């Protein structure tokens, strides 16, 4: 994660790195929390399935 932050910081115009996990994935949520990252509630994700009908 530190390397990812450094890569983003080196890119002009890049102000943050965002990622997501499911609310029902306690392992991932605990992992990110252990790294000191806070959960952010400001976005809603929409999805459409594509492919064969």
């Amino acid at each position: 994660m530190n390397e990812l932050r450094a890569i983003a910081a080196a890119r002009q115009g890049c102000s943050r790195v965002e990622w997501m996990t499911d609310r029902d994935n306690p392992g991932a949520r605990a992992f990110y929390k252990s790294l000191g990252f806070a959960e952010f509630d400001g976005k809603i994700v929409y999805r459409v399935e594509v492919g064969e009908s």
Side-chain angles (χ1 to χ4, degrees):
M1 296 304 278
N2 288 334
E3 182 68 19
L4 180 59
R5 183 180 280 175
I7 291 168
R11 291 198 166 204
Q12 185 175 353
C14 186
S15 62
R16 66 179 165 262
V17 176
E18 294 181 352
W19 62 95
M20 66 182 80
T21 189
D22 292 325
R23 290 200 175 278
D24 62 353
N25 187 343
R29 293 175 75 185
F31 171 71
Y32 295 129
K33 186 175 182 177
S34 76
L35 295 176
F37 299 114
E39 292 185 356
F40 177 74
D41 237 6
K43 295 202 178 199
I44 298 171
V45 177
Y46 295 88
R47 177 181 303 147
V48 63
E49 299 295 329
V50 296
E52 295 182 30
S53 302

